[in-house]
């Protein structure tokens, strides 16, 4: 667009940065990385008060705005308007298209599940609600959990089945991507495409923002080449601005553990999930609690009705003064 | 001797009863009234007593002779009352008729009766107590009777308060009101539940729909006396949604709880806690509005000081009024809630000109809003709390801060920013230019007006209350936050004033008050939405 060519700077509005990432929200990070890949200069601004908006992230240039909920997303809109199109060569390759579809559906679902339902919610609280006053943050958090469960089709009955399915798909996707990547630097044609942006965003989020007990994170750590890919590209494209000297050249030795969360320091203790027994115990407990409450209520009602009958004789004090003097 | 007062249930205390110490000329009238009351109120028992008296104690008197002697006694009493202070002590206050209402509530309203030392004071206090009980709105009728005390204690009186509780606790209401928050008029329906728990509590639920797509649903509770507090306590929760898409490209939704802490004639203190969400479903907002979209928690304390000495709130011809409203936001220790300070002043002055019931009204209103807290100099003020000028509300009648300059549309002037450009057509038609601007409001607003109102010299119009007026308005809206205050200068400030003048007719009807004005815009800025021409405005009738 002319505005971009005139040198007017792009502004990207995303959610807040934390966990060492330029933006910690899994929908905003791919857009950030895509703009980095395209080597377009842009400013970043943060919106800290609208966690439930689907308009964020958005890109502004001049008086034009590209929202994430229009025309297929920010990346797609940027490609359509020929602002920056990294996929011109690969968009015809069927494998590229299906790999991208797999990442955008299975891995996105897995991250959504892990962030809102699977983990204890501390990451979500930090990313989305740490700048909102407590009562609002809590309400929106519960609302979001409910919405995610609806979106993923999770109900009380099929919770375990859905979880298993989500993790199975994630594992399949990681295996496929690992095989596809091999020892290359990028997935296709040895140069960055929007697929790399999307997967890199996913991988960085999973590795850095999810807690160490996360199951998804442990599955990703099983594939060393994917982890290496993520760390290398992070050092080259994402951390390039920061003056950290630990940005080592691309083939970093896994054993050199100078950065605090370097590859060899990845810890993962996915919590063992005795969920099945827990839910049965929970059900028994809930049933017993219900019986107890009902009994209590009946007892109180009986008490009131029995004793209420003996309180009918109320002394009408005022009536005693009826004999007023008229003279 | 017995004296009794019966006030009817429309709540008008009998003035002649209070004026019992007035000159003797009114006595005969009072005499007759009280005699009639006597005979009405002291029913069968009295007549029986009279008959008994007649039979047993006194020599047989004809009925006429007896009435004459009673009248003579009454005259003697009132003569005594008007010439000297008749000392009396209240022995007992008896409350009858309250099945549901708590005694403590009624006793609190008639408290002053116990301390009366003379009959005159007692009469006055009785009238006032009656009015206060009527004002609670929970009784169908209230009678306060003064009787003599027990015979062994001379110089004492007993007060008997007899109330009839409202049979139907539920009442409904439907009307057209003007809402200062929405700055327009709205249709409102409400349901009231009176005295549910016996404490004089008034519960109400209401639904309001406004002219500019404002809708509000709320429920409230009003307690006249809560555990010894002198002023009534009011609590309200509401869900309000306002649509400012046409003016500033955003929609506002607020879930709020407000508590009225102090409410007297001159002072008003209230606390408000609300969760506000700004959203833009149309996705065409300008940059400043985009930055403010999201959620916010407002915890504010609002204090209003009001002195209104004008002779009429709708058509003042004499007097002055002063209102100062201060609002402090961010009282919750949470640093993430919205912190701002808002101050408004209103001054009105009216003086009569004599001819044609004409009067000259002057007024000036100003307001300023500023954030506080960390980095407050760089932070923008919260968009819904800014000042917006424009709209058709009459500056003479409204006392709610700087809000209107006649001739300009609602939110039609002040700092504006272009909206998001959609599509490739960068060739903006200048005629449409103003419709593509978002009005952002300002942090510092000043409005002033001068208004000459006069009766139209035709009897038909005068009787209907229709009158005419000629006016001149001016106003300015500037922004101070985000370091704009550094560029503030007096010349720029003078430049920022808009002017308008005109004349019109005001038609007050039972349902609403209509104004038809012809406005001429004398000065406006490039993007302001103001048009020279005829405009109508409607506001509430009271």
């Amino acid at each position: 667009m002319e505005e971009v060519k005139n040198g007017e700077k792009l502004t990207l509005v995303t959610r807040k940065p934390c966990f060492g990432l330029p933006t910690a929200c899994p929908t905003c990070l791919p857009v950030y990385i895509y703009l980095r890949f395209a080597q377009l200069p842009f400013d970043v601004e943060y919106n800290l008060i609208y966690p439930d908006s689907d308009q964020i992230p958005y890109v502004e240039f001049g008086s034009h705005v590209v929202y994430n909920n229009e025309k297929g997303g920010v990346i797609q809109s940027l490609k359509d308007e020929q602002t920056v199109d990294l996929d011109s060569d690969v968009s015809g390759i069927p494998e590229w298209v299906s790999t991208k579809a797999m990442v955008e559906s299975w891995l996105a679902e897995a991250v959504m599940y892990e962030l809102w339902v699977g983990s204890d919610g501390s990451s979500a609280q930090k990313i989305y609600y740490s700048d909102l006053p407590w009562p609002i943050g809590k309400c929106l958090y519960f609302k979001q959990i409910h919405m995610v469960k609806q979106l993923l089709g999770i109900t009380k009955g099929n919770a375990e089945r859905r979880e298993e399915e989500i993790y199975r798909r994630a594992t399949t996707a990681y295996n496929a991507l690992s095989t596809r990547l091999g020892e290359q630097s990028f997935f296709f044609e040895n140069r960055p495409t929007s697929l790399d942006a999307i997967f890199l965003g996913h991988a960085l989020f999973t590795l850095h923002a999810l807690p160490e007990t996360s199951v998804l994170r442990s599955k990703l750590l099983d594939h060393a080449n994917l982890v290496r890919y993520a760390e290398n590209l992070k050092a080259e494209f994402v951390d390039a601005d920061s003056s950290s000297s630990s940005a080592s050249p691309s083939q970093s030795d896994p054993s050199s553990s100078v950065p605090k969360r370097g590859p060899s320091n990845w810890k993962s203790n996915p919590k063992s999930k005795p969920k099945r027994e827990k839910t049965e115990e929970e059900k028994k407990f809930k049933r017993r609690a219900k019986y107890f409450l009902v009994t209590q209520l009946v007892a109180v009602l009986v008490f009131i009705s029995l004793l209420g009958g003996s309180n009918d004789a109320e002394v009408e004090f005022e009536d005693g003064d009826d004999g007023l003097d008229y003279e | 001797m017995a004296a009794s007062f019966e006030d009817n249930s429309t709540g008008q205390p009998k003035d002649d009863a209070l004026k019992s110490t007035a000159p003797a000329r009114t006595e005969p009238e009072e005499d007759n009234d009280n005699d009639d009351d006597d005979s009405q109120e002291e029913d069968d028992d009295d007549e029986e007593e009279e008959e008994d008296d007649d039979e047993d104690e006194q020599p047989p008197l004809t009925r006429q002779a007896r009435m004459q002697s009673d009248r003579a006694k009454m005259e003697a009493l009132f003569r005594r009352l008007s010439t000297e202070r008749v000392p009396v002590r209240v022995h007992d206050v008896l409350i009858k008729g309250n099945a549901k209402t708590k005694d403590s509530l009624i006793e609190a309203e008639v408290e002053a009766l116990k301390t009366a030392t003379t009959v005159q004071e007692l009469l006055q206090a009785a009238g006032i107590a009656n009015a206060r009980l009527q004002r609670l709105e929970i009784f169908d009728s209230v009678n306060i009777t003064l009787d003599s005390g027990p015979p062994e204690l001379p110089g004492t009186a007993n007060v008997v308060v007899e109330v009839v509780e409202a049979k139907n606790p539920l009442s409904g209401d439907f009307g057209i009101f003007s809402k200062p928050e929405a700055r327009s008029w709205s249709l409102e329906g409400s349901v009231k539940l009176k005295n549910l728990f016996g404490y004089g509590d008034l519960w109400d639920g209401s639904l309001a729909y406004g002219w500019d797509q404002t809708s509000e649903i709320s429920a409230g509770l009003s307690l006249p006396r809560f555990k010894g507090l002198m002023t009534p306590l009011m609590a309200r929760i509401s869900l309000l949604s306002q649509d400012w898409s046409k003016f500033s490209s955003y929609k506002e939704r607020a879930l709020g709880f407000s508590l009225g802490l102090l409410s007297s004639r001159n002072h008003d203190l209230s606390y408000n806690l609300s969760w506000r969400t700004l959203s833009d479903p149309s996705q065409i907002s300008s940059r400043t509005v985009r930055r403010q979209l999201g959620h916010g928690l407002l915890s504010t304390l609002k204090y209003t000081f009001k002195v209104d000495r004008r002779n009429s709130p709708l058509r003042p011809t004499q007097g002055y009024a002063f209102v100062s409203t201060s609002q402090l936001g961010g009282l919750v220790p949470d640093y993430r809630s919205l912190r701002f300070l808002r101050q408004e002043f209103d001054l009105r002055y009216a003086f009569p000109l004599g001819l044609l019931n004409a009067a000259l009204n002057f007024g000036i209103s100003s307001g300023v809003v500023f954030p506080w807290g960390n980095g407050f100099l760089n932070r923008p003020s919260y968009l819904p709390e800014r000042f917006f000028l424009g709209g058709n509300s009459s500056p003479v009648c409204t006392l709610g801060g700087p809000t209107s300059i006649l001739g300009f549309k609602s939110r039609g002037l002040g700092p504006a920013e272009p909206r998001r450009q959609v599509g490739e057509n960068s060739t903006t038609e200048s005629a449409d230019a103003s419709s593509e601007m978002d009005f952002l409001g300002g942090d510092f607003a000043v409005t002033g007006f001068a208004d000459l109102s006069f009766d139209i010299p035709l009897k038909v119009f005068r009787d209907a209350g229709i009158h005419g007026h000629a006016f001149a308005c001016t106003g300015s809206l500037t922004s101070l936050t985000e370091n704009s205050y550094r560029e503030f200068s007096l010349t720029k400030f003078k430049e920022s004033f808009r002017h308008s003048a005109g004349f019109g007719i005001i038609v007050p009807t039972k349902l609403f008050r209509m104004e038809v004005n012809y406005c001429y815009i004398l000065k406006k800025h490039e993007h302001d939405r103001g048009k020279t021409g005829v405009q109508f405005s409607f506001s509430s009738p009271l």
Side-chain angles (χ1 to χ4, degrees):
Chain A
M1 309 216 61
E2 302 103 57
E3 281 81 0
V4 175
K5 291 188 179 111
N6 283 348
E8 220 180 83
K9 226 173 177 192
L10 258 80
T11 306
L12 173 67
V13 177
T14 65
R15 302 222 163 85
K16 73 179 288 181
C18 51
F19 300 115
L21 297 170
T23 170
C25 163
T27 31
C28 304
L29 195 50
V31 179
Y32 180 91
I33 296 173
Y34 185 81
L35 289 173
R36 287 311 227 143
F37 282 166
Q39 285 163 349
L40 273 179
F42 63 96
D43 289 326
V44 184
E45 285 187 27
Y46 304 106
N47 180 309
L48 308 170
I49 55 172
Y50 209 178
D52 51 337
S53 162
D54 54 355
Q55 295 171 354
I56 298 172
Y58 56 88
V59 173
E60 302 172 335
F61 31 89
S63 58
H64 292 261
V65 186
V66 178
Y67 285 106
N68 199 36
N69 59 353
E70 286 176 341
K71 299 194 221 161
V74 180
I75 297 180
Q76 187 63 37
S77 307
L78 292 173
K79 286 199 302 193
D80 287 343
E81 292 169 6
Q82 275 116 41
T83 311
V84 46
D85 189 355
L86 299 174
D87 302 339
S88 41
D89 300 337
V90 295
S91 49
I93 305 177
E95 229 189 50
W96 183 88
V97 175
S98 52
T99 312
K100 188 166 169 213
M102 182 181 67
V103 172
E104 276 179 338
S105 58
W106 289 0
L107 291 182
E109 263 186 24
V111 158
M112 196 191 314
Y113 178 82
E114 195 72 1
L115 182 60
W116 297 103
V117 186
S119 64
D120 60 358
S122 55
S123 309
Q125 292 276 14
K126 191 154 179 233
I127 300 169
Y128 294 100
Y129 307 115
S130 51
D131 289 289
L132 282 176
W134 176 82
I136 295 182
K138 268 276 175 254
C139 283
L140 289 175
Y141 175 60
F142 288 122
K143 201 169 135 192
Q144 180 72 15
I145 291 183
H146 178 78
M147 202 189 78
V148 165
K149 283 191 176 160
Q150 270 190 332
L151 212 66
L152 296 177
I154 297 176
T155 63
K156 276 205 184 95
N158 68 0
E160 289 107 40
R161 188 175 50 78
R162 279 295 285 148
E163 182 184 322
E164 215 186 284
E165 195 180 328
I166 288 173
Y167 285 144
R168 192 173 16 98
R169 283 184 176 169
T171 320
T172 316
Y174 288 149
N175 288 341
L177 287 165
S178 183
T179 316
R180 170 72 221 177
L181 182 64
E183 294 303 323
Q184 302 168 69
S185 311
F186 298 99
F187 280 101
F188 283 85
E189 309 221 338
N190 221 14
R191 63 175 189 77
T193 60
S194 62
L195 166 65
D196 295 280
I198 296 172
F199 179 70
L200 183 60
H202 167 94
L204 288 178
F205 178 81
T206 308
L207 291 170
H208 293 263
L210 288 179
E212 287 179 355
T213 54
S214 156
V215 171
L216 190 68
R217 188 166 173 272
S218 64
K219 290 191 191 299
L220 182 56
L221 284 173
D222 290 339
H223 302 275
N225 65 341
L226 291 178
V227 176
R228 227 174 13 241
Y229 161 86
E231 289 304 309
N232 293 347
L233 286 183
K234 175 169 187 269
E236 189 180 332
F237 287 96
V238 174
D239 293 340
D241 259 351
S242 59
S243 56
S244 72
S245 56
S246 66
S248 39
S250 34
Q251 267 77 31
S252 58
D253 195 2
S255 61
S256 66
S257 52
V258 169
K260 192 175 173 215
R261 288 187 70 147
S264 72
N265 274 2
W266 289 126
K267 271 184 293 197
S268 110
N269 15 327
K271 58 184 191 293
S272 51
K273 298 191 181 196
K275 261 191 173 178
R276 225 164 271 159
E277 294 134 41
K278 211 171 163 198
T279 38
E280 271 179 37
E281 254 179 45
E282 261 181 29
K283 279 186 199 152
K284 236 195 310 187
F285 175 75
K286 277 189 190 159
R287 207 180 32 217
R288 283 189 184 157
K290 239 187 282 181
Y291 288 152
F292 177 74
L293 283 173
V294 167
T295 327
Q296 290 294 312
L297 190 63
V298 168
V300 166
L301 286 174
V302 166
F303 179 78
I304 289 178
S305 62
L306 279 180
L307 283 198
S310 68
N311 276 348
D312 270 342
E314 269 185 27
V315 178
E316 294 263 339
F317 192 65
E318 295 97 39
D319 285 350
D321 283 335
D322 236 358
L324 288 170
D325 307 329
Y326 286 109
E327 261 299 294
Chain B
M1 282 278 222
S4 64
F5 293 84
E6 190 174 80
D7 293 335
N8 53 24
S9 56
T10 58
Q12 297 285 328
K14 268 197 179 167
D15 283 351
D16 35 34
L18 287 176
K19 288 187 206 144
S20 59
T21 53
R25 213 166 299 155
T26 59
E27 279 164 37
E29 293 171 4
E30 287 175 46
D31 237 349
N32 288 336
D33 287 346
N34 281 323
D35 262 348
D36 291 342
D37 289 348
D38 265 349
S39 53
Q40 283 164 19
E41 199 224 324
E42 294 167 14
D43 38 335
D44 302 330
D45 287 357
D46 206 15
E47 290 191 339
E48 281 171 29
E49 256 191 24
E50 284 177 12
E51 286 169 18
D52 286 344
D53 284 345
D54 277 344
E55 286 168 17
D56 297 336
E57 298 178 10
Q58 293 170 1
L61 289 172
T62 61
R63 192 169 172 76
Q64 204 178 25
R66 184 168 167 76
M67 274 172 62
Q68 276 178 356
S69 82
D70 275 345
R71 188 171 295 154
K73 281 183 193 166
M74 277 300 202
E75 279 180 1
L77 169 67
F78 282 115
R79 213 170 297 127
R80 255 189 91 196
L81 282 177
S82 63
T83 51
E84 66 191 53
R85 295 162 56 82
V86 183
V88 75
R89 188 175 60 84
V90 174
H91 178 250
D92 207 358
V93 176
L94 306 158
I95 302 175
K96 296 161 75 171
N98 56 329
K100 200 167 49 171
T101 316
K102 299 280 182 284
D103 278 348
S104 51
L105 175 71
I106 304 179
E107 276 168 18
E109 300 290 345
V110 302
E111 198 61 40
L113 284 174
K114 293 195 180 148
T115 56
T117 49
T118 66
V119 178
Q120 290 89 331
E121 268 183 40
L122 194 55
L123 293 174
Q124 226 176 13
I128 294 174
N130 194 301
R132 285 167 68 163
L133 284 171
Q134 296 280 353
R135 209 168 352 123
L136 291 178
E137 286 184 25
I138 52 177
F139 301 120
D140 275 344
S141 75
V142 179
N143 287 348
I144 297 187
T145 310
L146 308 175
D147 267 334
S148 62
E152 59 269 16
L153 296 173
T156 58
N158 273 352
V159 180
V160 179
V161 180
E162 209 171 303
V163 297
V164 175
E165 286 170 346
K167 284 194 199 59
N168 189 11
L170 196 70
S171 72
D173 217 346
F174 186 77
I176 299 175
F177 301 98
S178 91
K179 285 190 148 332
E181 301 90 36
R183 289 170 199 130
S184 71
W185 58 296
S186 61
L187 227 55
E188 190 173 311
S190 67
V191 165
K192 270 198 189 137
L193 263 178
K194 297 181 201 170
N195 209 9
L196 203 59
F197 294 113
Y199 288 101
D201 41 309
L202 283 171
W203 301 80
D204 70 289
S206 76
L207 196 63
Y209 187 76
W211 186 245
D212 54 356
Q213 285 116 35
T214 307
S215 57
E216 179 179 0
I217 177 168
S218 65
L221 162 67
S222 160
L223 274 175
R225 213 161 263 276
F226 183 66
K227 295 204 197 285
L229 274 179
M230 276 307 294
T231 58
L233 195 70
M234 283 180 287
R236 185 159 215 96
I237 54 169
S238 61
L239 180 62
L240 168 75
S241 91
Q242 282 185 324
D243 188 354
W244 299 112
S245 303
K246 275 199 300 229
F247 312 102
S248 312
S249 308
Y250 71 88
K251 279 194 181 168
E252 183 185 338
R253 193 131 177 232
L255 174 66
F257 166 73
S258 72
L259 196 63
L261 297 167
L262 182 80
S263 174
S264 71
R265 215 167 75 166
N266 292 359
H267 306 275
D268 195 282
L269 184 67
S270 68
Y271 173 75
N272 188 304
L273 181 69
S274 71
W275 170 2
R276 287 209 199 170
T277 307
L278 304 182
S279 67
D280 177 25
S282 59
Q283 296 189 177
I284 52 166
S285 52
S286 58
R287 193 179 166 281
T288 310
V289 178
R290 273 201 299 270
R291 293 287 179 274
Q292 299 236 11
L293 296 179
H295 302 271
L297 185 73
L298 259 93
S299 162
T300 58
L301 199 63
K302 185 166 164 184
Y303 170 68
T304 309
F305 173 70
K306 181 167 168 173
V307 171
D308 191 351
R309 297 269 158 85
R310 301 176 299 175
N311 57 351
S312 149
L314 283 186
R315 197 189 161 184
T317 51
Q318 198 172 32
Y320 67 93
F322 173 72
V323 181
S324 153
T325 307
S326 320
Q327 218 176 346
L328 174 66
L331 293 171
V332 187
D334 198 333
Y335 68 93
R336 299 167 293 196
S337 63
L338 287 156
R339 296 180 154 183
F340 63 92
L341 206 61
R342 195 170 197 254
Q343 175 66 48
E344 286 173 17
F345 287 112
D346 281 279
L347 188 62
R348 298 276 185 274
Y349 189 73
F351 64 84
L353 292 176
L355 182 65
L356 281 180
N357 202 12
L360 203 51
N361 266 285
F362 291 110
I364 179 165
S365 306
S366 71
V368 69
V369 63
F370 217 81
W372 61 275
N374 284 340
F376 68 99
L377 288 172
N378 297 334
R379 247 191 297 140
S381 50
Y382 189 51
L383 192 55
E385 288 296 326
R386 292 184 190 175
F387 293 99
F388 293 92
L389 292 184
N392 292 343
S393 58
S394 159
V396 177
C397 311
T398 52
L399 272 180
T403 49
S404 67
I405 303 182
L406 290 170
F408 289 86
K409 295 215 170 85
S410 179
R411 289 201 176 192
L413 61 93
E417 214 178 80
R419 289 180 177 160
R420 172 194 184 197
Q421 205 169 341
V422 184
E424 272 297 318
N425 49 347
S426 43
T427 59
T428 47
E429 303 89 19
S430 52
D432 264 355
S434 69
S435 66
E436 290 178 6
M437 305 289 281
D438 271 345
F439 288 92
L440 309 170
D443 305 307
F444 178 50
V446 179
T447 58
F449 75 91
D451 179 288
L452 171 70
S453 68
F454 49 88
D455 273 346
I456 301 174
L458 284 177
K459 191 170 185 306
V460 167
F461 289 141
R462 232 198 335 249
D463 289 342
I466 299 177
H467 54 278
H469 72 139
F471 58 86
C473 303
T474 180
S476 146
L477 193 56
T478 43
S479 80
L480 295 174
T481 50
E482 281 182 304
N483 288 319
S484 328
Y485 65 91
R486 295 200 189 157
E487 299 154 8
F488 185 81
S489 70
L490 272 180
T491 25
K492 266 202 192 166
F493 180 58
K494 267 194 277 189
E495 280 293 299
S496 68
F497 272 89
R498 280 80 161 166
H499 310 295
S500 73
F503 57 89
I505 290 185
I506 298 167
V507 181
T509 71
K510 276 211 187 66
L511 284 180
F512 51 78
R513 178 175 177 277
M514 181 173 81
E515 265 187 51
V516 184
N517 293 327
Y518 176 81
C519 300
Y520 181 74
I521 310 281
L522 296 165
K523 178 178 175 209
K524 72 173 198 180
H525 283 212
E526 188 194 339
H527 293 293
D528 292 346
R529 286 188 199 162
K531 217 169 58 148
T532 298
V534 179
Q535 53 160 207
F536 289 80
S537 88
F538 297 88
S539 58
S540 94
L542 31 81

